[in-house]
Short mmCIF file of all heavy atoms in Angstrom, two decimals:
data_model
loop_
_atom_site.label_atom_id
_atom_site.label_comp_id
_atom_site.label_asym_id
_atom_site.label_seq_id
_atom_site.Cartn_x
_atom_site.Cartn_y
_atom_site.Cartn_z
N THR A 76 5.95 66.82 -53.85
CA THR A 76 4.75 66.01 -53.47
C THR A 76 4.27 66.50 -52.07
O THR A 76 4.96 67.25 -51.36
CB THR A 76 5.04 64.46 -53.24
OG1 THR A 76 6.12 64.37 -52.29
CG2 THR A 76 5.49 63.80 -54.53
N TYR A 77 3.01 66.25 -51.73
CA TYR A 77 2.60 66.62 -50.38
C TYR A 77 1.61 65.47 -49.87
O TYR A 77 1.20 64.64 -50.55
CB TYR A 77 1.75 67.94 -50.60
CG TYR A 77 0.51 67.78 -51.35
CD1 TYR A 77 -0.84 67.44 -50.60
CD2 TYR A 77 0.31 67.95 -52.60
CE1 TYR A 77 -2.01 67.41 -51.16
CE2 TYR A 77 -0.89 67.95 -53.30
CZ TYR A 77 -2.03 67.55 -52.59
OH TYR A 77 -3.13 67.35 -53.18
N ARG A 78 1.53 65.59 -48.62
CA ARG A 78 0.73 64.63 -47.92
C ARG A 78 0.15 65.26 -46.59
O ARG A 78 0.60 66.34 -46.25
CB ARG A 78 1.44 63.41 -47.46
CG ARG A 78 2.48 63.54 -46.43
CD ARG A 78 3.14 62.21 -46.00
NE ARG A 78 3.96 62.39 -44.72
CZ ARG A 78 5.04 62.72 -44.69
NH1 ARG A 78 5.85 63.09 -45.82
NH2 ARG A 78 5.84 62.94 -43.50
N PHE A 79 -0.77 64.64 -45.95
CA PHE A 79 -1.24 65.19 -44.60
C PHE A 79 -0.78 64.06 -43.49
O PHE A 79 -1.24 62.90 -43.71
CB PHE A 79 -2.64 65.39 -44.59
CG PHE A 79 -3.01 66.68 -45.53
CD1 PHE A 79 -3.33 66.48 -46.79
CD2 PHE A 79 -2.99 67.95 -45.01
CE1 PHE A 79 -3.58 67.61 -47.61
CE2 PHE A 79 -3.31 69.06 -45.77
CZ PHE A 79 -3.57 68.84 -47.13
N ASP A 80 -0.23 64.59 -42.47
CA ASP A 80 -0.07 63.71 -41.29
C ASP A 80 -1.14 64.06 -40.38
O ASP A 80 -1.55 65.16 -40.21
CB ASP A 80 1.37 63.90 -40.72
CG ASP A 80 2.49 63.46 -41.47
OD1 ASP A 80 2.35 62.67 -42.35
OD2 ASP A 80 3.65 63.84 -41.20
N TYR A 81 -1.60 63.08 -39.67
CA TYR A 81 -2.58 63.08 -38.62
C TYR A 81 -2.42 62.20 -37.49
O TYR A 81 -2.09 61.08 -37.77
CB TYR A 81 -4.17 63.09 -39.30
CG TYR A 81 -4.44 61.89 -40.05
CD1 TYR A 81 -5.21 60.95 -39.41
CD2 TYR A 81 -3.95 61.67 -41.35
CE1 TYR A 81 -5.45 59.68 -40.06
CE2 TYR A 81 -4.21 60.46 -41.95
CZ TYR A 81 -4.99 59.47 -41.36
OH TYR A 81 -5.28 58.35 -42.02
N ASN A 82 -2.92 62.73 -36.36
CA ASN A 82 -2.85 61.83 -35.05
C ASN A 82 -3.69 62.39 -34.08
O ASN A 82 -4.11 63.64 -34.08
CB ASN A 82 -1.34 61.81 -34.73
CG ASN A 82 -0.94 60.67 -33.83
OD1 ASN A 82 -1.73 59.87 -33.54
ND2 ASN A 82 0.29 60.55 -33.43
N PHE A 87 2.90 63.84 -33.24
CA PHE A 87 2.95 63.17 -34.49
C PHE A 87 3.77 61.87 -34.40
O PHE A 87 4.13 61.40 -35.36
CB PHE A 87 3.38 64.04 -35.57
CG PHE A 87 2.39 65.10 -35.90
CD1 PHE A 87 2.42 66.39 -35.46
CD2 PHE A 87 1.31 64.67 -36.78
CE1 PHE A 87 1.38 67.34 -35.70
CE2 PHE A 87 0.28 65.61 -37.10
CZ PHE A 87 0.42 66.94 -36.56
N ALA A 90 2.22 58.91 -36.14
CA ALA A 90 1.12 59.46 -36.96
C ALA A 90 0.90 58.73 -38.21
O ALA A 90 1.64 58.06 -38.74
CB ALA A 90 1.57 60.90 -37.28
N LEU A 91 -0.45 58.80 -38.65
CA LEU A 91 -0.87 58.21 -39.90
C LEU A 91 -0.60 59.33 -40.90
O LEU A 91 -0.63 60.53 -40.61
CB LEU A 91 -2.23 57.85 -39.85
CG LEU A 91 -2.61 56.63 -38.84
CD1 LEU A 91 -4.01 56.43 -38.72
CD2 LEU A 91 -1.81 55.34 -39.31
N SER A 92 -0.48 58.88 -42.35
CA SER A 92 -0.40 59.82 -43.37
C SER A 92 -1.28 59.57 -44.36
O SER A 92 -1.56 58.34 -44.76
CB SER A 92 1.12 59.76 -43.81
OG SER A 92 1.99 60.10 -42.93
N SER A 93 -1.79 60.57 -45.12
CA SER A 93 -2.58 60.29 -46.26
C SER A 93 -1.70 59.90 -47.50
O SER A 93 -0.44 60.14 -47.35
CB SER A 93 -3.37 61.61 -46.61
OG SER A 93 -2.29 62.62 -47.14
N PRO A 94 -2.24 59.34 -48.53
CA PRO A 94 -1.38 59.08 -49.74
C PRO A 94 -0.69 60.35 -50.12
O PRO A 94 -1.26 61.46 -50.07
CB PRO A 94 -2.31 58.43 -50.69
CG PRO A 94 -3.50 57.97 -49.90
CD PRO A 94 -3.50 58.99 -48.72
N SER A 95 0.60 60.28 -50.64
CA SER A 95 1.18 61.41 -51.27
C SER A 95 0.52 61.79 -52.63
O SER A 95 0.16 60.88 -53.41
CB SER A 95 2.70 61.18 -51.49
OG SER A 95 3.37 61.05 -50.17
N SER A 96 0.56 63.21 -52.81
CA SER A 96 0.06 63.61 -54.10
C SER A 96 1.04 64.63 -54.74
O SER A 96 1.85 65.17 -53.92
CB SER A 96 -1.35 64.39 -53.98
OG SER A 96 -2.37 63.49 -53.41
N ILE A 105 0.18 76.81 -53.40
CA ILE A 105 -0.98 76.31 -53.92
C ILE A 105 -1.85 75.60 -52.77
O ILE A 105 -1.39 75.49 -51.79
CB ILE A 105 -0.66 75.06 -54.98
CG1 ILE A 105 0.02 73.99 -54.23
CG2 ILE A 105 0.04 75.59 -56.09
CD1 ILE A 105 0.17 72.64 -55.10
N ASP A 106 -3.16 75.62 -53.11
CA ASP A 106 -4.08 75.07 -52.16
C ASP A 106 -4.05 73.52 -52.26
O ASP A 106 -4.08 73.06 -53.37
CB ASP A 106 -5.56 75.58 -52.35
CG ASP A 106 -5.59 77.02 -52.00
OD1 ASP A 106 -4.95 77.55 -51.13
OD2 ASP A 106 -6.54 77.85 -52.64
N VAL A 107 -4.12 72.74 -51.27
CA VAL A 107 -4.03 71.36 -51.27
C VAL A 107 -5.04 70.73 -50.35
O VAL A 107 -5.42 71.48 -49.41
CB VAL A 107 -2.62 70.72 -51.02
CG1 VAL A 107 -1.65 71.12 -52.07
CG2 VAL A 107 -2.19 71.10 -49.59
N SER A 108 -5.50 69.68 -50.72
CA SER A 108 -6.59 68.94 -49.85
C SER A 108 -6.52 67.52 -50.04
O SER A 108 -5.98 66.99 -51.09
CB SER A 108 -7.99 69.59 -50.13
OG SER A 108 -8.38 69.25 -51.41
N THR A 109 -7.15 66.77 -49.23
CA THR A 109 -7.31 65.29 -49.39
C THR A 109 -8.49 64.82 -48.41
O THR A 109 -8.88 65.56 -47.54
CB THR A 109 -5.94 64.49 -49.04
OG1 THR A 109 -6.10 63.18 -49.51
CG2 THR A 109 -5.69 64.55 -47.48
N ILE A 111 -9.65 62.03 -45.86
CA ILE A 111 -9.05 60.97 -44.84
C ILE A 111 -10.32 60.21 -44.35
O ILE A 111 -11.28 60.80 -43.86
CB ILE A 111 -8.27 61.72 -43.80
CG1 ILE A 111 -7.21 62.50 -44.36
CG2 ILE A 111 -7.95 60.72 -42.75
CD1 ILE A 111 -6.46 63.37 -43.28
N PHE A 121 -4.84 66.03 -34.68
CA PHE A 121 -4.05 67.10 -35.12
C PHE A 121 -3.56 66.81 -36.42
O PHE A 121 -3.38 65.52 -36.86
CB PHE A 121 -2.79 67.12 -34.11
CG PHE A 121 -3.28 67.43 -32.80
CD1 PHE A 121 -3.60 66.52 -31.81
CD2 PHE A 121 -3.13 68.82 -32.28
CE1 PHE A 121 -3.92 66.87 -30.47
CE2 PHE A 121 -3.53 69.24 -31.10
CZ PHE A 121 -3.92 68.24 -30.15
N VAL A 122 -3.57 67.83 -37.39
CA VAL A 122 -3.32 67.52 -38.81
C VAL A 122 -2.32 68.58 -39.24
O VAL A 122 -2.23 69.76 -38.80
CB VAL A 122 -4.62 67.74 -39.53
CG1 VAL A 122 -4.35 67.52 -40.98
CG2 VAL A 122 -5.71 66.83 -39.04
N ARG A 123 -1.35 68.13 -40.05
CA ARG A 123 -0.32 69.19 -40.74
C ARG A 123 -0.02 68.73 -42.14
O ARG A 123 -0.10 67.43 -42.44
CB ARG A 123 0.85 69.29 -39.84
CG ARG A 123 1.74 68.05 -39.88
CD ARG A 123 3.07 68.14 -39.21
NE ARG A 123 3.79 66.91 -39.09
CZ ARG A 123 4.73 66.72 -38.30
NH1 ARG A 123 5.19 67.60 -37.55
NH2 ARG A 123 5.36 65.50 -38.48
N ALA A 124 0.12 69.73 -42.92
CA ALA A 124 0.57 69.43 -44.35
C ALA A 124 2.06 69.07 -44.34
O ALA A 124 2.72 69.82 -43.57
CB ALA A 124 0.21 70.44 -45.32
N VAL A 125 2.48 68.22 -45.20
CA VAL A 125 3.89 67.93 -45.34
C VAL A 125 4.25 67.97 -46.88
O VAL A 125 3.64 67.35 -47.62
CB VAL A 125 4.33 66.59 -44.76
CG1 VAL A 125 5.88 66.30 -44.92
CG2 VAL A 125 3.91 66.41 -43.40
N ALA A 126 5.22 68.78 -47.27
CA ALA A 126 5.60 68.90 -48.61
C ALA A 126 7.09 68.65 -48.82
O ALA A 126 7.85 69.10 -48.07
CB ALA A 126 5.33 70.47 -49.06
N THR A 127 7.42 67.90 -49.91
CA THR A 127 8.73 67.58 -50.15
C THR A 127 9.02 67.97 -51.74
O THR A 127 8.25 67.60 -52.59
CB THR A 127 8.94 66.07 -50.00
OG1 THR A 127 8.72 65.58 -48.69
CG2 THR A 127 10.51 65.74 -50.23
N TYR A 132 14.03 68.25 -50.08
CA TYR A 132 13.81 69.10 -48.90
C TYR A 132 12.31 69.05 -48.42
O TYR A 132 11.40 69.08 -49.31
CB TYR A 132 14.05 70.61 -49.08
CG TYR A 132 15.59 70.78 -49.45
CD1 TYR A 132 16.08 71.02 -50.78
CD2 TYR A 132 16.52 70.75 -48.35
CE1 TYR A 132 17.37 71.15 -50.93
CE2 TYR A 132 17.85 70.96 -48.62
CZ TYR A 132 18.25 71.24 -49.97
OH TYR A 132 19.59 71.40 -50.12
N THR A 133 12.08 68.77 -47.15
CA THR A 133 10.71 68.64 -46.60
C THR A 133 10.32 69.89 -45.74
O THR A 133 11.20 70.26 -44.87
CB THR A 133 10.67 67.34 -45.85
OG1 THR A 133 10.92 66.22 -46.72
CG2 THR A 133 9.19 67.16 -45.22
N ALA A 134 9.18 70.37 -45.92
CA ALA A 134 8.59 71.43 -45.03
C ALA A 134 7.26 70.97 -44.38
O ALA A 134 6.50 70.20 -45.02
CB ALA A 134 8.34 72.61 -45.95
N TYR A 135 7.12 71.42 -43.15
CA TYR A 135 5.89 71.00 -42.43
C TYR A 135 5.02 72.25 -42.23
O TYR A 135 5.41 73.19 -41.74
CB TYR A 135 6.34 70.36 -41.02
CG TYR A 135 7.11 69.09 -41.26
CD1 TYR A 135 8.65 69.12 -41.31
CD2 TYR A 135 6.55 67.86 -41.31
CE1 TYR A 135 9.26 67.99 -41.35
CE2 TYR A 135 7.25 66.74 -41.34
CZ TYR A 135 8.72 66.84 -41.51
OH TYR A 135 9.38 65.78 -41.71
N GLY A 136 3.84 72.00 -42.49
CA GLY A 136 2.80 73.10 -42.19
C GLY A 136 2.44 73.28 -40.87
O GLY A 136 2.83 72.52 -39.89
N LYS A 137 1.68 74.40 -40.64
CA LYS A 137 1.22 74.65 -39.16
C LYS A 137 0.26 73.49 -38.83
O LYS A 137 -0.54 73.04 -39.63
CB LYS A 137 0.48 75.94 -39.16
CG LYS A 137 -0.20 76.24 -37.92
CD LYS A 137 -0.94 77.66 -38.02
CE LYS A 137 -1.66 77.94 -36.80
NZ LYS A 137 -2.63 79.04 -36.94
N THR A 138 0.46 73.05 -37.58
CA THR A 138 -0.35 72.12 -37.00
C THR A 138 -1.81 72.65 -36.62
O THR A 138 -1.93 73.69 -35.98
CB THR A 138 0.19 71.41 -35.65
OG1 THR A 138 1.45 70.80 -36.03
CG2 THR A 138 -0.74 70.39 -34.95
N GLU A 139 -2.86 72.01 -37.11
CA GLU A 139 -4.20 72.40 -36.90
C GLU A 139 -5.04 71.21 -36.05
O GLU A 139 -4.55 70.09 -36.32
CB GLU A 139 -5.01 72.63 -38.25
CG GLU A 139 -4.30 73.76 -39.07
CD GLU A 139 -4.54 75.01 -38.57
OE1 GLU A 139 -5.49 75.28 -37.64
OE2 GLU A 139 -4.03 76.09 -38.97
N GLN A 140 -5.83 71.67 -35.26
CA GLN A 140 -6.63 70.61 -34.49
C GLN A 140 -8.10 70.72 -34.94
O GLN A 140 -8.70 71.76 -35.20
CB GLN A 140 -6.59 70.85 -32.98
CG GLN A 140 -7.32 69.92 -32.21
CD GLN A 140 -7.27 70.18 -30.79
OE1 GLN A 140 -6.85 71.19 -30.34
NE2 GLN A 140 -7.75 69.33 -29.96
#
Side-chain angles (χ1 to χ4, degrees):
T76 61
Y77 69 90
R78 70 175 194 273
F79 291 89
D80 289 346
Y81 57 99
N82 201 0
F87 290 96
L91 298 172
S92 297
S93 69
S95 292
S96 297
I105 61 168
D106 291 330
V107 295
S108 64
T109 194
I111 298 173
F121 296 89
V122 183
R123 69 179 176 191
V125 181
T127 302
Y132 294 106
T133 300
Y135 298 90
K137 179 182 172 192
T138 298
E139 299 287 346
Q140 183 179 7

